[in-house]
Amino acid sequence: MRFVPACLAFAIVLAGSLEGTPADAQSIEPRAYSPAPVGTNFAIVAFSESKGAIPVDPALPLSDIDLHVDAVLAAYARSVNLFGESGKFDLIVPIAHLKGEATYFGEPVERDIRGLSDPLARLTILFHGAPAMNAAEFRGYRQDLLLGASVQVSIPMGQYDHERLINLGGNRWSIKPELGASKTWGRWTVETALGVTLYTANNDFFGGHKRTQKPIYSAQGHIIYNLKPGMWLAGNLSWFAGGRTSIDGVEDDNLQQNWRAGLIFAAPINRRFSLKANASTGVSTRTGNNFDLYGIALQYRWGGGI
């Protein structure tokens, strides 16, 4: 059996460590819509380092942003049978150390904080091209066109101080429905995904104000080359726009429209372990998203008849 990648591609480190808290629309995640035998489990531990104008919350009125973030991520995923189709559930718990400075309406702002960021939970279904399969059926499976959908929820359990602008948690819920497609030609796979992130209000923003945010719309594309079973290289491009905020009903001038690009390399160590490494950077930014990220992740899989 070829090595099955988890539904958490390594770029989820980015989404889970910081961006998945208030800005999960910005993650770059290839192979999110790929099947595995029902009952397969995945455990992931990852580390990432980010430097620059990191969007802890890109809608904040900050300038001259210079932040350094080290993040550790623990995640669990399981392949499930959803109405006869391949499905996946994953849970992501990030812990981060953020240190740096920015400018808020001409005044310097500094922050040095360690703690939990908002966890993420997601349910995915492949409704075309990948019926639910056991290990024996999966051995003979060959991917062609896959169509899928997912719903991701950000849970407001992360560190939050209403007297500080920069936090690791968002103090609000978010939900991100997404549609994805994947098509394979020989060693090449092309993937696309379209999503929208919806937010509840933060009723205790920076001294007790009410802060709301309009949806962020996102799109991402991936070109993946399969070097050999379980080993692949992906080039990625993501776009996200929208997300204008209001404080106590007064709208801010902080519309987002940003592009990011990245590379991801994955390789198996043996039947159960694999490594993923990635790098990404801002390409075009309207708000503070011009940062660089690097990281590595170790994945372990079990169950599902492997």
Side-chain angles (χ1 to χ4, degrees), residues 17-18 48-56 62 64-71 95-103 109-115 159 164 166-168 291-292:
S17 61
L18 285 175
S48 68
E49 181 180 20
S50 309
K51 296 180 180 180
I54 301 167
V56 178
L62 298 175
D64 303 321
I65 304 171
D66 186 13
L67 298 177
H68 184 143
V69 178
D70 295 321
I95 299 174
H97 174 210
L98 179 152
K99 184 177 181 179
E101 58 189 19
T103 301
V109 178
E110 295 185 356
R111 195 72 161 116
D112 188 345
I113 185 69
R114 293 177 175 85
Q159 172 277 329
R164 307 297 293 266
I166 300 175
N167 292 284
L168 298 175
F291 67 97
D292 300 318

Side-chain angles (χ1 to χ4, degrees), residues 7 10 20 24 42 56 67 124 128 211 294 304:
C7 59
F10 176 73
D24 52 11
F42 301 92
V56 178
L67 298 177
T124 304
H128 175 80
R211 186 167 183 258
Y294 310 93

